[in-house]
Amino acid sequence: MTKQSWSFMIGSALFACGAAVSIWGLGSADATNVLCFVGAWFFTAAGLMQVVLSGNAVEPGNNAAGRMLNAAWLAAATQSFGTIMFNISTSAALTAKTVRAEERLVWSPDAGGSVAFLISAVFVYVAYYREHERLWDPQASGWWGAHINMLGCIAFAVSAAGAVISKTGSAADATLASWGTFSGALCFFLASMIALPQLGWNRRNA
């Protein structure tokens, strides 16, 4: 759990730095692309660890009524798929030279990854409710993590909307894309940080 959280935190920090470079003109677009490219690999590593730690895909049903899909596994698997899509988009951003390539290899997987993250965030709520039988639990780090994670997923979706490739090859709204990435990355960083097992409230709950 610790390695998973730190991997998400490092990846989020790199995405946030990449967006900051664009927002405040701290460097070139190449610097932003490289930071996001490296950050995506940390996301992918964390996503795979999350799938392994989430248990089996199928678990016993409630009241011994057969078997059902494990919502925690579904959340992890869907998010892991999204991180792979970000790997594709950030890798392509380093080399794409045509509008067609940017549409197909940069924006399309970026949008797909953002949708996957949104779906995974819904599964996080389902998993939390199944485990705790309530959705209001502000004293639990998992409750805060679920909400902050959802905010991050929404921000990434907004970023993808702003990053739609125009006929000239530029983003439809570069400011929206950059701020969506920046705010989403901060949310993912915070959601991962409060899940660290070393924190006091997590030790108490354990």
Side-chain angles (χ1 to χ4, degrees):
M1 185 68 176
T2 299
K3 292 180 179 179
Q4 171 196 317
S5 294
W6 274 107
S7 294
F8 269 126
M9 288 167 64
I10 294 171
S12 300
L14 288 168
F15 267 94
C17 288
V21 167
S22 176
I23 292 170
W24 288 290
L26 303 176
S28 66
D30 289 338
T32 294
N33 290 337
V34 169
L35 286 166
C36 291
F37 169 77
V38 178
W41 282 102
F42 279 97
F43 266 16
T44 297
L48 292 174
M49 283 186 270
Q50 190 172 22
V51 172
V52 172
L53 293 172
S54 63
N56 297 323
V58 179
E59 61 184 2
N62 294 330
N63 301 319
R67 299 174 69 80
M68 63 182 182
L69 289 172
N70 179 354
W73 182 90
L74 285 171
T78 308
Q79 188 174 54
S80 185
F81 172 77
T83 65
I84 294 172
M85 291 295 99
F86 290 141
N87 278 138
I88 296 172
S89 65
T90 56
S91 297
L94 296 173
T95 58
K97 302 299 182 184
T98 66
V99 174
R100 176 61 178 163
E102 290 180 356
E103 288 176 339
R104 184 169 60 89
L105 298 176
V106 179
W107 185 79
S108 293
D110 177 51
S114 297
V115 170
F117 267 41
L118 278 172
I119 295 172
S120 75
V122 174
F123 284 136
V124 167
Y125 283 125
V126 175
Y128 192 89
Y129 182 79
R130 284 183 179 178
E131 181 179 356
H132 301 280
E133 297 186 345
R134 60 183 180 274
L135 285 177
W136 177 257
D137 195 10
Q139 294 185 347
S141 63
W143 183 85
W144 285 101
H147 290 302
I148 296 171
N149 175 69
M150 174 60 86
L151 290 175
C153 292
I154 293 172
F156 261 37
V158 170
S159 172
V164 174
I165 304 300
S166 67
K167 293 181 179 180
T168 63
S170 59
D173 191 331
T175 300
L176 184 66
S178 296
W179 276 104
T181 299
F182 183 75
S183 56
L186 290 183
C187 286
F188 292 139
F189 182 92
L190 183 57
S192 300
M193 184 183 70
I194 65 176
L196 285 169
Q198 294 87 348
L199 294 183
W201 62 358
N202 291 325
R203 289 202 302 268
R204 288 194 298 272
N205 290 336

